[in-house]
């Protein structure tokens, strides 16, 4: 009954149960954090704006992004993935989400940042709908935990209207 | 009627009853594992609710050997979500992040573009030749939970099958020889 194998099995089961419980508690503890991140984005310049040979509109922007995401970090946070997306509606599409810039924040010390950048991913429409188009700039973040459930949220910021003419 | 008693006692000495009991116990363990897996598939709506990360393309968020819990759900797929997708003619599913979404008004069909956080380029080169977007049916699930390191057991067993057979053999041996 109380052989070596039996005891080893009991010990292993107990250890794994405790470890799983601790992971669960760490994940649940994230819920007690109520973050209040802030962010601001400015479109500084339209570098160029054209219709590609295949008929889709493409625009290149210079952006100024500043954000304070320090409050997202808890003891169970491995990193925060943050990205800025342009979101707009076209006659054909209910929703277009185009990521313009993204970054990985590895620790709380880097969570308050300011960056001046052109769009990292190409801002291409499916079609030719960007002239005079209003779009929302939305800052999204995804909190990746050390263990457990992932969280995500966003701030919808002031919109921007593209010019009527290509340039 | 002495021969019946003799027969019974010889069967008893073979411990048939105990062997049967052990077979049933083993069967119960296998069956309940299968039941839990199938139930997870039903609850999450994903055909493989738990996946192991095999590449470093999502580092430092996910490393090789980490485990992801997937959920499909009815919610539309949005930019920023980490999805597991399966491209036609490719065996291994890929875990990457959605960076672009275009959702049709009339049909609700979506065009999705993905990229690994640790990759420089988007995934168009990983898709089938001539494919520029993922559709909803390529997506197996979206990652909702994360557990580090646990997947190493699977990776080791897949890459070194010998260890798998030794392990199965040892467990089987234990199951047969152990007394209750």
């Amino acid at each position: 009954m109380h052989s070596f194998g039996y005891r080893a099995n009991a010990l292993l089961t107990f250890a794994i149960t405790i470890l799983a419980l601790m992971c669960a508690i760490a994940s649940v503890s994230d819920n007690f954090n109520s973050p209040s991140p802030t962010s601001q984005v400015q479109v500084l310049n339209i570098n160029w704006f054209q219709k590609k040979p295949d008929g889709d509109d493409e625009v290149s922007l210079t952006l100024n992004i500043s954000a304070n995401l320090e409050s997202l970090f808890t003891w169970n946070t491995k990193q925060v993935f943050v990205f800025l997306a342009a979101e707009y509606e076209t006659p054909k599409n209910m929703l277009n989400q185009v990521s313009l810039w993204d970054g990985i924040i590895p620790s709380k010390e880097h969570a308050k940042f300011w960056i001046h950048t052109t769009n990292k991913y190409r801002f291409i429409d499916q079609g030719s709908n960007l002239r005079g188009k209003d779009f929302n700039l939305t800052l999204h973040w995804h909190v990746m935990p050390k263990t457990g459930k992932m969280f995500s949220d966003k701030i919808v910021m002031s919109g921007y209207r593209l010019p009527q003419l290509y340039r | 009627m002495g021969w019946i008693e003799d027969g019974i006692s010889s069967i008893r000495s073979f411990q048939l009853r105990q062997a049967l009991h052990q077979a049933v116990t083993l069967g119960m363990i296998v069956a309940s594992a299968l039941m839990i897996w199938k139930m997870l598939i039903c609850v999450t709506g994903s055909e493989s609710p738990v996946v192991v990360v095999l590449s470093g393309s999502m580092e430092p968020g996910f490393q090789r050997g980490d485990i992801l819990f997937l959920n499909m759900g009815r919610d539309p797929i949005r930019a920023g979500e980490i999805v597991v997708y399966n491209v036609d003619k490719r065996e291994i599913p890929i875990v990457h992040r959605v960076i672009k979404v275009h959702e049709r008004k009339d049909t609700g069909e979506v065009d999705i573009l993905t990229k690994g956080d640790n990759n420089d380029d988007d995934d168009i080169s990983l898709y089938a030749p001539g494919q520029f977007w993922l559709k909803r049916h390529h997506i197996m699930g979206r990652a909702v939970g994360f557990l580090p390191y646990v997947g190493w057991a699977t990776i080791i067993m897949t890459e070194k099958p010998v260890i798998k057979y030794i392990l199965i053999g040892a467990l089987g041996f234990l199951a047969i020889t152990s007394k209750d």
Side-chain angles (χ1 to χ4, degrees):
Chain A
M1 193 72 183
H2 296 281
S3 64
F4 174 76
Y6 181 83
R7 290 176 190 204
N9 185 21
L11 188 67
L12 194 70
T13 312
F14 185 65
I16 289 174
T17 311
I18 295 292
L19 203 61
L21 203 67
M22 277 167 67
C23 289
I25 290 171
S27 180
V28 166
S29 74
D30 276 342
N31 291 308
F32 300 115
N33 183 35
S34 44
S36 52
T38 56
S39 158
Q40 234 177 354
V41 175
Q42 275 179 307
V43 179
L44 296 180
N45 188 32
I46 293 174
N47 305 323
W48 43 267
F49 182 22
Q50 64 181 26
K51 188 183 228 171
K52 294 199 305 156
D54 63 5
D56 292 347
D57 281 354
E58 176 169 6
V59 61
S60 167
L61 308 169
T62 301
L63 301 157
N64 194 346
I65 307 161
S66 64
N68 182 353
L69 305 177
E70 284 174 342
S71 58
L72 292 172
F73 280 82
T74 67
W75 67 320
N76 190 31
T77 306
K78 181 194 256 178
Q79 63 167 28
V80 171
F81 182 88
V82 58
F83 70 100
L84 181 75
E87 303 184 345
Y88 59 97
E89 192 186 336
T90 55
K92 198 174 96 180
N93 289 345
M94 192 162 69
L95 175 74
N96 299 278
Q97 278 187 312
V98 180
S99 189
L100 300 179
W101 169 86
D102 63 19
I104 292 168
I105 305 170
S107 68
K108 196 170 186 170
E109 288 74 52
H110 299 93
K112 197 173 177 181
F113 62 90
W114 177 95
I115 187 168
H116 182 97
T117 178
T118 58
N119 51 314
K120 183 173 163 185
Y121 305 114
R122 298 174 74 179
F123 186 176
I124 303 174
D125 184 42
Q126 282 195 328
S128 180
N129 311 299
L130 288 185
R131 275 171 299 173
K133 173 60 75 183
D134 276 314
F135 62 89
N136 272 331
L137 283 165
T138 311
L139 193 83
H140 296 254
W141 57 87
H142 282 242
V143 180
M144 290 161 123
K146 291 206 168 90
T147 175
K149 192 174 177 296
M150 295 187 265
F151 291 86
S152 66
D153 207 349
K154 62 184 178 182
I155 305 180
V156 180
M157 282 166 298
S158 56
Y160 187 80
R161 178 182 289 234
L162 287 166
Q164 292 288 347
L165 297 169
Y166 296 124
R167 57 171 84 164
Chain B
M1 287 300 201
W3 61 277
I4 294 179
E5 277 165 17
D6 285 347
I8 288 171
S9 67
S10 75
I11 288 170
R12 284 227 172 104
S13 71
F14 272 126
Q15 294 175 319
L16 179 67
R17 186 176 283 201
Q18 200 186 343
L20 274 175
H21 183 257
Q22 271 160 358
V24 168
T25 314
L26 205 66
M28 291 263 283
I29 291 168
V30 173
S32 50
L34 197 70
M35 272 166 65
I36 290 171
W37 181 250
K38 290 289 174 191
M39 198 186 72
L40 273 177
I41 291 178
C42 285
V43 171
T44 61
S46 168
E47 54 190 293
S48 98
V50 181
V51 294
V52 177
V53 178
L54 293 175
S55 80
S57 61
M58 287 295 280
E59 278 186 25
F62 302 148
Q63 275 152 3
R64 196 168 143 77
D66 293 345
I67 272 192
L68 297 180
F69 297 93
L70 305 186
N71 186 10
M72 197 60 212
R74 289 180 174 276
D75 300 338
I77 288 159
R78 290 290 174 257
E81 289 175 337
I82 298 161
V83 295
V84 179
Y85 65 89
N86 222 334
V87 178
D88 312 328
K89 291 178 189 165
R90 238 174 193 278
E91 296 267 304
I92 300 165
I94 299 173
V95 184
H96 278 177
R97 192 185 296 275
V98 176
I99 62 167
K100 289 182 186 181
V101 170
H102 297 280
E103 189 170 304
R104 237 33 106 253
K105 215 172 240 172
D106 42 0
T107 58
E109 217 176 277
V110 277
D111 284 341
I112 298 160
L113 181 68
T114 53
K115 175 184 171 288
D117 288 358
N118 198 26
N119 293 355
D120 290 332
D121 281 319
D122 58 37
D123 287 352
I124 290 179
S125 56
L126 297 178
Y127 300 163
Q131 182 186 359
F132 295 102
W133 302 99
L134 291 178
K135 301 285 182 189
R136 178 97 188 184
H137 70 263
H138 293 117
I139 309 286
M140 291 167 64
R142 68 192 98 196
V144 290
F146 168 83
L147 207 57
Y149 309 123
V150 184
W152 271 112
T154 329
I155 292 183
I156 290 168
M157 281 196 260
T158 320
E159 291 183 354
K160 297 254 190 309
V162 184
I163 292 175
K164 179 165 64 183
Y165 298 133
I166 292 174
L167 211 65
I168 291 173
L171 282 177
F173 182 73
L174 274 178
I176 291 165
T177 55
S178 71
K179 292 193 176 131
D180 213 312

